[in-house]
Amino acid sequence: MELTRRKFGKILAASAVAVLSGVWKVAGRMAPASFIRAVKAKSFPGRIRALDEAEVKGTAKWGG
Amino acid sequence: MITQCELCPKNCIIKPGQSGECRIRVNIDGKLIAATYGYPSAAHVDPIEKKPLNHFLPGTSIFSIATVGCNLHCKNCQNWDISQRNPEDAEAMALPPQKLPELARQYNCRSVAYTYTDPTVYYEYALDSCIKVREAGLKNVLVTAGYINEKPWRDLCRYVDAANIDLKGITEKFYREVCDATLKPVQDAFVTAKAMGVHVEATNLLIPTLNDRDEDIEELCRWLKENVGRETPVHFSRFNPQYQMRHLPPTPAETLGRARDIARAVGLEYVYIGNIMSEGGSNTRCPSCNTLLISRTGYRINANVIPDGKCPSCNREIYGVWN
């Protein structure tokens, strides 16, 4: 089949569309998902201790 | 998948398995997780004057909590051992939001403070707690640097009764170099909170050579007066050498006195001196007739003659929440 200038143009355009849509998809996967609210963690990563009544009653050593 | 946290102006881009600058907002499998939700590392009953709040339920106790983590990294942080700690290295208590009103009542507190570190980073825990506390008929208080984006700040302020917001300096240079932050979002937080009906008081920690020039103090006071109101109580606080600023001396008492004089000259009506014992530095006086309304020694109230919020001599309304 003869490759005319018009056919070549169509193939070129189709290829460009395919490449760009691929780039768009990859970029979409790479772009960060934005959040304002975070989800509650299933567990605390540090050590858990019981509430100490005497400590609670005392003024904090920290400012504020 | 990479996530972006849009809670505060840092807008951290967080890779999987890592946290934002605050240390407590973590990307786990492409989800943003609040690592300290329901797990405060500090819970104490403080006098409300310690926040400091001098015009909000004076003389009452306030149930105060904090989780680890902060979005600012102030070189002078006096709470750095809790604010700059990773949750995996911390100890914490299991205190879900619904438990807070019960504990506050148990310790005879009329309000709950989200304080010590910055409640803006343990945002979801603070917000859910505020809702539960208000439902129980108690008040919510934030002690914050106000470094948060507009939308989440508005959502939180709907449930907040009072806030002490730090205005750490009045220059971008100070915020960038000392706090690793920027000034504008903090100023916006002041204006928004006040416009939403939150009782606002301001704190300015004066650090020798960094933010204690007369011009800076005057500009800060002028900004507060023009944008938040002349009635806004201002607390000038004494710096003590801490964390990464041990090379600087404590703020001299004269600097604090000078700051108070400048603030009054600018037109601010209620000016206090904190973190230092000073004669009359924490007393409340009527701005119209100078009558002594509340006499304090440190955090202790010696006398209070404005239970109804009015000066007994001239009947002037005194800014605050008194009952």
Side-chain angles (χ1 to χ4, degrees):
Chain A
M1 221 162 73
E2 195 184 348
L3 183 64
T4 61
R5 198 179 288 174
R6 178 169 292 179
K7 275 184 186 165
F8 178 71
K10 281 182 180 170
I11 291 167
L12 197 65
S15 308
V17 168
V19 168
L20 286 175
S21 69
V23 168
W24 184 256
K25 272 188 183 167
V26 171
R29 273 189 217 133
M30 300 282 282
S34 298
F35 300 92
I36 291 177
R37 299 268 175 104
V39 180
K40 178 179 159 181
K42 285 186 183 136
S43 60
F44 182 68
R47 205 171 76 81
I48 297 176
R49 63 182 166 93
L51 187 131
D52 180 341
E53 284 247 354
E55 188 187 302
V56 171
K57 279 181 190 164
T59 300
K61 65 174 179 174
W62 296 292
Chain B
M1 184 188 252
I2 296 171
T3 60
Q4 182 165 29
C5 175
E6 295 184 340
L7 177 65
C8 91
K10 297 215 164 173
N11 293 314
C12 294
I13 291 182
I14 311 170
K15 289 182 185 164
Q18 296 193 347
S19 67
E21 272 198 35
C22 63
R23 300 163 189 260
I24 63 169
R25 303 176 73 77
V26 188
N27 176 352
I28 296 176
D29 298 331
K31 284 185 182 159
L32 189 63
I33 303 295
T36 60
Y37 186 104
Y39 291 98
S41 288
H44 292 274
V45 175
D46 286 336
I48 203 160
E49 284 76 11
K50 181 174 174 284
K51 299 302 111 189
L53 285 177
N54 280 356
H55 290 233
F56 188 82
L57 305 177
T60 61
S61 296
I62 184 162
F63 192 79
S64 306
I65 59 162
T67 83
V68 294
C70 190
N71 52 347
L72 269 60
H73 311 292
C74 304
K75 291 175 179 165
N76 58 292
C77 184
Q78 60 179 326
N79 296 346
W80 61 274
D81 62 332
I82 182 171
S83 69
Q84 307 299 317
R85 189 181 289 264
N86 293 322
E88 54 272 28
D89 301 327
E91 282 189 354
M93 298 149 269
L95 285 185
Q98 60 272 20
K99 183 103 174 119
L100 289 174
E102 179 194 323
L103 274 173
R105 285 195 198 284
Q106 184 184 325
Y107 291 102
N108 296 318
C109 298
R110 292 169 62 185
S111 53
V112 174
Y114 310 89
T115 178
Y116 310 137
T117 58
D118 206 300
T120 57
V121 296
Y122 55 90
Y123 181 81
E124 295 75 15
Y125 179 40
L127 179 63
D128 291 351
S129 299
C130 281
I131 293 169
K132 293 289 177 197
V133 164
R134 185 166 278 185
E135 278 172 5
L138 302 172
K139 307 272 190 204
N140 288 304
V141 169
L142 298 181
V143 180
T144 175
Y147 201 62
I148 182 170
N149 285 332
E150 177 79 13
K151 164 93 174 60
W153 181 237
R154 281 187 172 277
D155 291 346
L156 183 57
C157 280
R158 287 169 55 206
Y159 301 98
V160 172
D161 299 287
N164 185 300
I165 307 177
D166 251 355
L167 186 54
K168 293 171 184 280
I170 199 64
T171 63
E172 277 298 334
K173 186 173 183 288
F174 181 88
Y175 264 90
R176 285 197 189 281
E177 292 179 3
V178 178
C179 311
D180 195 15
T182 51
L183 171 64
K184 179 72 169 46
V186 179
Q187 293 178 316
D188 291 344
F190 266 98
V191 174
T192 301
K194 188 70 181 260
M196 289 185 71
V198 176
H199 169 83
V200 175
E201 301 195 19
T203 293
N204 176 232
L205 183 84
L206 287 165
I207 308 176
T209 73
L210 296 181
N211 65 354
D212 64 341
R213 294 185 319 153
D214 288 3
E215 307 89 272
D216 290 341
I217 296 167
E218 187 177 332
E219 196 186 334
L220 183 141
C221 294
R222 216 169 279 288
W223 184 86
L224 278 172
K225 185 183 128 187
E226 287 165 9
N227 297 278
V228 197
R230 58 169 61 232
E231 71 283 5
T232 307
V234 180
H235 304 258
F236 289 108
S237 208
R238 186 191 206 199
F239 159 83
N240 282 305
Q242 299 273 351
Y243 192 37
Q244 296 171 349
M245 271 198 187
R246 292 171 199 263
H247 58 290
L248 290 176
T251 316
E254 306 81 66
T255 306
L256 295 160
R258 210 179 67 232
R260 180 173 56 184
D261 294 344
I262 293 170
R264 284 179 177 161
V266 163
L268 290 172
E269 292 175 336
Y270 307 101
V271 189
Y272 300 98
I273 289 173
N275 269 3
I276 190 170
M277 291 300 259
S278 69
E279 184 71 38
S282 51
N283 287 346
T284 302
R285 287 184 176 272
C286 174
S288 295
C289 68
N290 206 36
T291 296
L292 179 61
L293 302 172
I294 303 178
S295 156
R296 299 181 180 90
T297 306
Y299 303 136
R300 200 182 70 239
I301 291 192
N302 306 317
N304 176 359
V305 296
I306 45 163
D308 62 348
K310 283 185 179 166
C311 172
S313 301
C314 69
N315 214 30
R316 181 195 162 125
E317 195 101 25
I318 306 297
Y319 174 69
V321 176
W322 307 102
N323 258 308

